[in-house]
Amino acid sequence: MPVPKDSQNKISFQIHLRKIPLLANLSEDEMRQVMTDLRIRTYAKRDVVLQKGASGDSLLFLLSGQLQVIDVTEDGRAIGLRMLAPGDFFGEIAVINGSTRSASVVALSPVMVALLPRNTALHLFSHSPSVANHMLRFLAEKVQRDSQFRALLSIHNTAKRIYTFLELLKEKKDGDVEVVENLPTHQDIANMINTSRETVTRTLLTLVQQGIIEKGTHRLIILDPAALQKLAQT
Amino acid sequence: MPVPKDSQNKISFQIHLRKIPLLANLSEDEMRQVMTDLRIRTYAKRDVVLQKGASGDSLLFLLSGQLQVIDVTEDGRAIGLRMLAPGDFFGEIAVINGSTRSASVVALSPVMVALLPRNTALHLFSHSPSVANHMLRFLAEKVQRDSQFRALLSIHNTAKRIYTFLELLKEKKDGDVEVVENLPTHQDIANMINTSRETVTRTLLTLVQQGIIEKGTHRLIILDPAALQKLAQT
């Protein structure tokens, strides 16, 4: 989502903001308020955009570039949680709760970010039906994924934990192919599901040899979804 | 929260509904709509009020009695997740996402429950600022607790995992005493944080012997919060 270089060009900028799903259905009045309050910032590759533990005084939108959400475990290991793409918002939990940032966000490329002050964001959350709806769905899905993830962590068998993890991450793409996009590193997967990097590497390799999955660049194609499902369930 | 026996007694019933935090600030119009659409149901002790996997066509409020939210892990063990008290709502995730119920809810005593149809609930969520606010805070806190819980599960040292778990569950009560209310059974704790019942029992016993905690009925009093915090962090 490229942004016009001259951000005084309000009309063109407004069209770009309409491409952000959370803001797509704002009324004209609401959009004007957002345009007035929004601040633009750029970051270089490897910059820390949000720091876990810092105070949370704005909602952020990624306008261009790529960001990664990173959590640091109790014993100090960094876990790459998820990738953000242009049009995504982030930092909503601290805005809603008035709490500190619950994870860090770092730039994987040069990025352009828009910041909406907390009060404007909170007003939209509770007074714009389309925004309220969008936020509730977003958070409910997060809660649901977290609860599936918790169920996963209680699986004793490590290989089965990895199969189930892939089942959770997979999405249907064009032509009904099932893929895992932005596959975390083997070390990140190991940290997330409480096993070793070696076990992750060995288990994925076995799945490749069995023709169940195929590895691409940062993605994984599931060639035999039924077989994977069966492995996860038995 | 007792409810009048004659639920035709609309005025008195309305006063009771105002005691439900989620509905406390509804407009007169919204309250009338809720009153019209709400259905009351009673359940006996041990009845299943919600079944994991069933379709979710209403938001529920507990009016009287006690309920427990129960999850069943991938390998079939039941985990008591949390207790519900009169005034609490539940079943919101399936209502928002149009998904199936993500956990089961069972009655620990005879209970009275109010059911609000999905469409009425969704309309309130996005059109009543007070309800939208309340729901967003509720879900954001859930997401935050889940993320702390995930960080906890990646702690390799089991005793430290138990200390950190107590740190997460504790609340400040009257006179600044720190307590864990509705302490799950040792088996439930073991299932939740991926260890054995014996280890939980042994670790808690050691904390009692060290004078750091004291066990009451279904609750745990933290006598030396600083010592517990130190154990969790070092």
Side-chain angles (χ1 to χ4, degrees):
Chain A
M1 192 176 297
V3 160
K5 281 192 183 106
D6 175 11
S7 69
Q8 299 308 310
N9 187 342
K10 291 251 172 181
I11 295 170
S12 153
F13 190 49
Q14 178 165 350
I15 294 170
H16 284 285
L17 287 184
R18 291 264 176 219
K19 288 190 186 159
I20 296 176
L22 186 68
L23 307 178
N25 297 308
L26 290 189
S27 69
E28 284 301 311
D29 275 1
E30 290 164 340
M31 185 53 93
R32 246 191 307 277
Q33 188 64 52
V34 167
M35 299 269 296
T36 309
D37 295 353
L38 215 56
R39 292 292 166 265
I40 307 291
R41 244 182 242 170
T42 57
Y43 294 88
K45 186 173 173 178
R46 275 185 284 275
D47 275 359
V48 176
V49 177
L50 285 188
Q51 178 83 53
K52 183 175 179 174
S55 71
D57 50 4
S58 50
L59 180 72
L60 296 94
F61 298 91
L62 178 56
L63 299 179
S64 67
Q66 200 183 19
L67 292 171
Q68 186 174 28
V69 184
I70 286 180
D71 197 13
V72 177
T73 64
E74 294 281 333
D75 44 5
R77 286 168 294 156
I79 295 181
L81 286 185
R82 62 195 175 101
M83 301 294 182
L84 297 172
D88 287 347
F89 63 87
F90 57 105
E92 72 289 348
I93 301 292
V95 163
I96 294 170
N97 284 347
S99 60
T100 57
R101 300 296 183 189
S102 54
S104 294
V105 174
V106 296
L108 299 185
S109 71
V111 297
M112 187 179 277
V113 165
L115 292 90
L116 193 63
R118 180 167 185 242
N119 285 341
T120 315
L122 283 178
H123 190 267
L124 280 184
F125 288 171
S126 54
H127 287 80
S128 160
S130 77
V131 173
N133 241 318
H134 195 111
M135 284 301 301
L136 284 174
R137 272 177 185 275
F138 179 84
L139 290 178
E141 268 165 37
K142 229 171 172 171
V143 168
Q144 207 164 23
R145 242 187 346 257
D146 285 346
S147 106
Q148 291 167 330
F149 193 73
R150 193 169 47 223
L152 177 155
L153 281 168
S154 70
I155 301 171
H156 288 308
N157 181 311
T158 313
K160 215 181 124 183
R161 211 149 70 223
I162 296 172
Y163 305 144
T164 310
F165 184 65
L166 295 180
E167 286 276 302
L168 273 186
L169 290 190
K170 75 180 186 194
E171 328 162 53
K172 287 223 166 160
K173 282 283 148 140
D174 18 84
D176 265 9
V177 189
E178 296 191 354
V179 295
V180 177
E181 294 289 359
N182 294 317
L183 185 72
T185 67
H186 292 186
Q187 185 62 61
D188 280 349
I189 296 176
N191 288 346
M192 276 190 256
I193 67 173
N194 214 353
T195 183
S196 69
R197 186 181 58 73
E198 292 73 17
T199 306
V200 173
T201 302
R202 194 175 55 240
T203 308
L204 291 183
L205 186 62
T206 308
L207 289 176
V208 170
Q209 287 165 344
Q210 291 172 331
I212 296 176
I213 63 170
E214 186 182 289
K215 292 194 70 176
T217 330
H218 299 299
R219 78 202 303 245
L220 198 144
I221 300 133
I222 298 167
L223 301 174
D224 190 345
L228 182 64
Q229 206 174 357
K230 206 176 154 201
L231 282 174
Q233 281 169 357
T234 49
Chain B
M1 189 175 297
V3 161
K5 282 194 182 104
D6 175 10
S7 70
Q8 298 308 310
N9 187 341
K10 290 253 172 180
I11 294 170
S12 152
F13 191 49
Q14 178 164 351
I15 293 169
H16 284 285
L17 287 184
R18 291 264 177 219
K19 289 190 187 159
I20 295 176
L22 186 68
L23 306 178
N25 298 307
L26 290 190
S27 70
E28 284 302 310
D29 275 1
E30 290 165 340
M31 186 54 95
R32 246 190 309 276
Q33 189 62 52
V34 167
M35 300 269 296
T36 308
D37 296 353
L38 216 55
R39 292 292 167 268
I40 306 292
R41 245 183 242 170
T42 57
Y43 294 89
K45 187 174 172 176
R46 277 185 282 274
D47 275 0
V48 176
V49 177
L50 286 188
Q51 179 82 53
K52 184 176 179 173
S55 70
D57 51 3
S58 50
L59 180 72
L60 297 94
F61 297 91
L62 177 56
L63 300 178
S64 66
Q66 201 184 18
L67 292 172
Q68 187 175 28
V69 184
I70 286 180
D71 197 11
V72 177
T73 65
E74 294 280 332
D75 44 4
R77 287 168 294 156
I79 296 181
L81 286 185
R82 63 195 175 102
M83 301 293 184
L84 296 171
D88 287 345
F89 63 88
F90 57 104
E92 73 288 350
I93 300 292
V95 163
I96 294 170
N97 284 348
S99 60
T100 57
R101 299 297 183 189
S102 54
S104 294
V105 175
V106 297
L108 299 185
S109 71
V111 297
M112 189 180 277
V113 165
L115 291 90
L116 192 64
R118 180 167 184 242
N119 285 342
T120 315
L122 282 178
H123 190 266
L124 280 185
F125 288 171
S126 53
H127 287 80
S128 160
S130 77
V131 173
N133 241 318
H134 195 112
M135 284 302 301
L136 284 174
R137 272 177 184 275
F138 179 83
L139 291 178
E141 268 164 39
K142 231 172 169 167
V143 168
Q144 206 163 25
R145 242 188 346 257
D146 286 345
S147 106
Q148 290 167 331
F149 194 72
R150 194 169 46 222
L152 177 156
L153 282 168
S154 70
I155 301 172
H156 288 309
N157 181 310
T158 312
K160 213 182 127 184
R161 211 150 70 224
I162 296 173
Y163 306 145
T164 310
F165 184 65
L166 296 181
E167 287 277 301
L168 272 186
L169 290 189
K170 76 181 185 192
E171 328 162 55
K172 287 223 167 158
K173 281 283 149 138
D174 19 86
D176 265 7
V177 188
E178 295 192 354
V179 295
V180 177
E181 294 289 359
N182 294 318
L183 185 73
T185 66
H186 292 187
Q187 185 62 60
D188 279 350
I189 296 176
N191 288 345
M192 275 190 256
I193 66 172
N194 215 352
T195 182
S196 69
R197 186 182 56 73
E198 293 72 17
T199 306
V200 173
T201 302
R202 195 175 55 240
T203 308
L204 291 182
L205 186 62
T206 309
L207 288 176
V208 169
Q209 288 165 344
Q210 292 172 330
I212 295 175
I213 62 170
E214 187 182 287
K215 291 195 68 177
T217 329
H218 298 301
R219 78 202 304 244
L220 197 144
I221 301 133
I222 298 167
L223 301 173
D224 190 345
L228 181 65
Q229 206 174 358
K230 209 176 151 200
L231 282 172
Q233 280 169 357
T234 50

